[in-house]
Amino acid sequence: MKRRFLGVIAAALLFVTLWPAPARAVDNNNITLSPTFKQTEARGMLDMINAFRTGEEAFYWNESNTATVASQGEPLVYSYALEEIAMRRAAEIALSFSHTRPDNTRCFTALASDGTRSWGENIAAGTTTANAAFTLWREDKEKYSGQGHRRNMLKTNFRTVGVGHAVVGGTHFWVQEFSYYTDTMAQTPPLDTERAVTVSVAPAQIQALGNLTATPASIALTAGGRAALPTVNVSLKLSGAWPDRETVVGVEPDWTSGDSGVCTVAGQEVSGAAAGSTTLTGTALDRTVSVPVTVSGGAQPAYTVSGGPEGGEYRVKLTNPAPVTVAVMYFDAGGKFLSAATRAVQADAGSVSFPLAAASTARVALLDTSYAPLCVYG
């Protein structure tokens, strides 16, 4: 079924002019929707609108439906700033088909990046072509109360228009934005591909909400390694959704680690701290998702050691990627321990010398900071 939303434009403009728009609630949630935009076709609607405004059919019924009112006007100029607004609004009406935005503010609070705003809006859903959407908005067979969209397109003191066309879940959404003023935003290439749009959603607008799902569902790291945080989606339905269905959207949860000794979260990454297992917990929209994290010890650094008399000393040669203690133990011919000497050295020492003792054999060990042996020679 095709559906139109009839906005009382004059009343909406009066509201925006005389009273400030309601403030955004601090507990609104940001979600991400990824519509496919079809802006080449959307821009083609400009010729239809201008032919309508300047042609013989540029009229609408008076309020008593007793006579038609001629409303021929000048051609509209295409505004790329209004198009920016229309594209955003096309994504928003895919979630809530209304002149009230998902954040519970009026449609006129949507601003372009240069600050441009709209003063009139038409929305439509379900029609798959620009001509079909335009025909729906013409409202040729309606009387005055049903010609709000027609009057918007024919309003003689409107100067500019921008059009948005987005496809979400196979349904086409269309938006026209109008203004009394021209703007200076430069022409941009038409967007005919998928693009992510961040939408602020008021909790009061949410009518149905599924469980959070994370991808990947688990993470494996090595100590010192890093990985991107999971992407998280949820299905939701807002007030005014048309069609009456839930839509899968992305969310950015607040992440916490169950054990910061195993892994930590910073920015958009999780880092392995030490070998072990724990759970990342993401919270968004009053829902939580758990992602198991396993951290392995990673590759152990390679240590080597050798030693022997050299130039009247006992020379120890070593590979030590970290600080170690070098221990030399001297034994007689029968294997009896005679004496020992130790020396702490910094990483990558290369070699270290000890006094040469009167002994038959020697053993050399590299010890870590807790004096556990890392490597033994002899």
Side-chain angles (χ1 to χ4, degrees), residues 219-222 262 276-278 292-296:
I219 296 175
L221 291 170
T222 57
V262 174
S277 298
T278 188
V293 178
T294 302
V295 179
S296 62

Side-chain angles (χ1 to χ4, degrees), residues 305-318 324-330 339-345 349-358 362-367 377:
V305 62
S306 62
E310 185 177 315
E313 298 179 317
Y314 192 90
R315 174 78 64 174
V316 175
K317 298 179 180 179
L318 67 157
V324 294
T325 295
V326 182
V328 179
M329 296 155 283
Y330 297 105
S339 63
T342 62
R343 184 172 297 174
V345 298
S351 67
V352 60
S353 296
F354 290 84
L356 183 61
R363 299 185 68 190
V364 184
L366 301 187
L367 313 175
Y377 167 79

Side-chain angles (χ1 to χ4, degrees), residues 275-296:
S277 298
T278 188
T279 300
L280 287 181
T281 300
T283 303
L285 298 170
D286 294 326
R287 295 284 195 273
T288 60
V289 62
S290 297
V291 177
V293 178
T294 302
V295 179
S296 62

Side-chain angles (χ1 to χ4, degrees), residues 74-263:
E74 295 295 320
L76 297 178
V77 175
Y78 199 81
S79 165
Y80 300 97
L82 291 179
E83 181 187 70
E84 190 178 300
I85 298 172
M87 291 171 63
R88 168 169 289 279
R89 290 288 296 130
E92 292 179 347
I93 66 172
L95 296 172
S96 178
F97 190 76
S98 170
H99 292 298
T100 297
R101 302 177 69 191
D103 67 358
N104 231 10
T105 65
R106 291 289 286 163
C107 58
F108 304 112
T109 63
L111 303 179
S113 56
D114 68 351
T116 296
R117 56 164 298 167
S118 165
W119 294 87
E121 175 179 277
N122 287 343
I123 63 177
T127 55
T128 59
T129 67
N131 183 68
F134 171 73
T135 301
L136 195 64
W137 282 325
R138 279 182 52 129
E139 299 161 324
D140 290 336
K141 297 181 180 181
E142 301 288 339
K143 295 298 185 179
Y144 179 86
S145 63
Q147 290 186 327
H149 300 90
R150 184 184 185 95
R151 291 193 299 274
N152 256 357
M153 291 195 293
L154 295 177
K155 194 172 182 68
T156 56
N157 51 353
F158 277 155
R159 295 288 178 264
T160 53
V161 66
V163 184
H165 177 200
V167 182
V168 177
T171 301
H172 294 246
F173 298 90
W174 302 84
V175 177
Q176 293 175 332
E177 299 290 345
F178 301 91
S179 178
Y180 303 111
Y181 311 103
T182 58
D183 58 77
T184 59
M185 184 176 288
Q187 180 176 347
T188 56
L191 181 66
D192 294 312
T193 187
E194 181 179 298
R195 175 179 288 180
V197 178
T198 300
V199 179
S200 177
V201 174
Q205 292 275 44
I206 300 175
Q207 291 192 335
L209 184 64
N211 294 322
L212 303 182
T213 58
T215 304
S218 62
I219 296 175
L221 291 170
T222 57
R226 297 182 297 176
L229 288 168
T231 59
V232 178
N233 294 325
V234 66
S235 62
L236 56 71
K237 184 176 77 171
L238 302 188
S239 174
W242 190 89
D244 185 13
R245 67 186 181 194
E246 295 184 10
T247 300
V248 176
V249 299
V251 294
E252 292 190 4
D254 293 325
W255 291 99
T256 57
S257 170
D259 186 345
S260 60
V262 174
C263 73

